[in-house]
Amino acid sequence: MAGMPSTTTLPRILSGMQPTSDSLHIGNHIGALANWVKLQDEAFEPYYFVANLHALTVPTDPAVLRRRTRVTAAQFIAAGVDPQHSALFLQSDVMEHPELGWVMMCLTGHGEASRMTQFKDKVAKGQNANVGLFAYPMLMAADILLYDAAYVPVGEDQRQHLEVTRDLADRFNQRFGEGGLLVPEPYILKESARIMDLTDPTSKMSGTNSPDKGLILLSDTDTRIRKKVMSAVTDTESEVRYDPETKPGVSNLLVIHSALSGERIEELERRFAGHGYGELKAEVADVVVGVVAPFRARMEELLGDPAELDRILSAGAHRAREVAATTMARVRDRIGLPALRG
Ligand code: TYM
């Protein structure tokens, strides 16, 4: 029988981001990227990728998709992903992703796929629903299961996708024998897992749905960042207090500050007692600028050296393919497909 999941290597972590806008935003950074960077320094073997196959579910001009794919990869590195340590790659470089995706589609009920909230929301908002969008979670399950990933660091909005992934891994193992695919655990940090739109703090900050003023992009200039934070929607009171139910705007600012500065929310509440929202906003803007400005510089440097970025992505693809091919050989064997012929 083709190789079982390896027990001799470190547990793997895996995560990805779609290149669906011109820049990642501070929600991507706080909800996911910051944890990718943290986990890469712990005892794991990390795999991080740009989900450009998933991005095809949103019709995009080819030149724009090409550019955004590279920008996203550069932004991973600018945020601190170390390509020497973490395998950093493009989903489109590892054909086992759509291959296992197909197997996952054949294990998923039509009704089950129809109940996915992200799909239902997107259709309700009028996005043209191609079959790729419908099958999105099965490709995502394949992304994860190919690497026997133990943990998947993502924001709260990905929780349902991870549940489907776990269900599919369980189903695969029940049908084709235990030890076939590793059932992954989500890695979602509570408070920072859902950063909200600055103009509408009851909706999540989203690169595809939020207006520009509601987003802090990792490519924004200092001036733009200050302007956006200073005009963030708050409430008619004046007390700086964390209460997402009744004070979503102020709570969002406190979460952003705390996630980036490391200062606890209770400490911020204490320090800002008796001060107005203007002062809180000014400090949040300083903290965000302090993180984004060096990030922006590093990103520009990386984009200025396309050959280096290509080298990094080739090395990452090579490492990813090795693992993906091993898992796919195991899957083929289990489900009754012949081994890939040379
Ligand atoms: P995507 O590209 O929408 O978002 C990338 C990551 O950023 C997190 N995120 C947020 N976190 C906190 N607050 C926010 N406002 C916010 N907006 C986005 C997301 O939770 C995510 O972690 N389906 C995935 C991409 C994907 C993937 C995978 C992830 C494809 N295959 C395999 C993990 C494993 C997505 O669309 O993320």
Side-chain angles (χ1 to χ4, degrees):
M1 190 175 290
M4 299 284 289
S6 168
T7 48
T8 51
T9 49
L10 292 172
R12 298 203 182 103
I13 42 176
L14 170 131
S15 198
M17 297 206 184
Q18 294 196 77
T20 36
S21 41
D22 286 338
S23 168
L24 297 177
H25 55 74
I26 203 83
N28 299 129
H29 178 72
I30 296 173
L33 257 177
N35 292 325
W36 296 11
V37 173
K38 199 176 74 179
L39 289 172
Q40 103 185 322
D41 294 330
E42 296 177 17
F44 294 110
E45 192 181 303
Y47 290 79
Y48 298 131
F49 69 97
V50 181
N52 55 347
L53 297 178
H54 276 111
L56 294 176
T57 59
V58 184
T60 311
D61 177 86
V64 173
L65 178 61
R66 223 170 265 133
R67 188 189 67 235
R68 288 176 172 174
T69 300
R70 295 181 72 83
V71 167
T72 306
Q75 292 193 329
F76 289 176
I77 304 170
V81 169
D82 173 5
Q84 298 289 345
H85 181 56
S86 301
L88 196 166
F89 64 99
L90 306 183
Q91 190 184 26
S92 60
D93 273 331
V94 187
M95 280 302 105
E96 284 82 357
H97 287 243
E99 189 181 0
L100 184 60
W102 175 254
V103 176
M104 291 298 131
M105 282 186 243
C106 296
L107 284 175
T108 308
H110 185 275
E112 191 181 10
S114 312
R115 286 191 292 275
M116 297 299 297
T117 48
Q118 282 217 344
F119 175 74
K120 288 198 295 189
D121 286 355
K122 285 184 176 168
V123 173
K125 284 192 186 117
Q127 184 170 332
N128 94 329
N130 50 49
V131 177
L133 189 65
F134 188 63
Y136 184 112
M138 287 99 247
L139 179 58
M140 177 159 163
D143 297 337
I144 298 167
L145 300 175
L146 264 182
Y147 297 86
D148 291 320
Y151 299 99
V152 185
V154 285
E156 181 61 43
D157 59 345
Q158 299 300 312
R159 190 181 288 282
Q160 196 184 28
H161 287 150
L162 292 186
E163 277 161 18
V164 171
T165 304
R166 289 168 56 83
D167 287 349
L168 287 171
D170 273 333
R171 196 170 304 162
F172 184 96
N173 293 340
Q174 270 164 25
R175 285 231 340 232
F176 303 112
E178 282 308 312
L181 294 171
L182 188 75
V183 181
E185 294 292 336
Y187 183 94
I188 301 173
L189 294 189
K190 239 184 160 183
E191 261 154 10
S192 55
R194 197 168 155 84
I195 301 300
M196 310 308 272
D197 183 327
L198 297 181
T199 57
D200 172 12
T202 58
S203 302
K204 93 170 171 181
M205 185 180 283
S206 154
T208 43
N209 292 325
S210 301
D212 181 59
K213 279 167 67 184
L215 285 165
I216 301 172
L217 297 176
L218 296 178
S219 57
D220 275 343
T221 59
D222 296 357
T223 317
R224 284 185 79 76
I225 292 171
R226 289 188 197 285
K227 217 167 153 186
K228 288 178 179 181
V229 175
M230 293 313 289
S231 51
V233 168
T234 48
D235 52 60
T236 51
E237 296 176 7
S238 58
E239 190 193 359
V240 175
R241 181 165 49 85
Y242 179 76
D243 181 350
E245 287 296 314
T246 60
K247 299 171 78 68
V250 170
S251 302
N252 193 36
L253 292 173
L254 287 169
V255 168
I256 293 173
H257 189 315
S258 173
L260 298 179
S261 67
E263 191 169 343
R264 294 185 40 230
I265 288 182
E266 304 84 77
E267 177 57 24
L268 289 169
E269 284 176 329
R270 202 190 52 71
R271 211 156 51 69
F272 281 97
H275 296 262
Y277 293 165
E279 283 174 66
L280 172 68
K281 287 177 171 178
E283 198 173 299
V284 170
D286 283 343
V287 169
V288 175
V289 165
V291 169
V292 175
F295 174 97
R296 215 173 41 228
R298 176 90 183 103
M299 179 188 76
E300 276 155 20
E301 196 182 302
L302 284 156
L303 290 173
D305 188 354
E308 172 63 6
L309 190 57
D310 279 322
R311 263 194 300 278
I312 290 172
L313 292 174
S314 295
H318 194 79
R319 282 166 68 185
R321 274 191 217 119
E322 230 169 82
V323 179
T326 308
T327 309
M328 205 53 224
R330 191 169 77 230
V331 168
R332 280 173 166 263
D333 181 60
R334 294 264 170 147
I335 66 179
L337 294 177
L340 204 56
R341 283 166 224 273

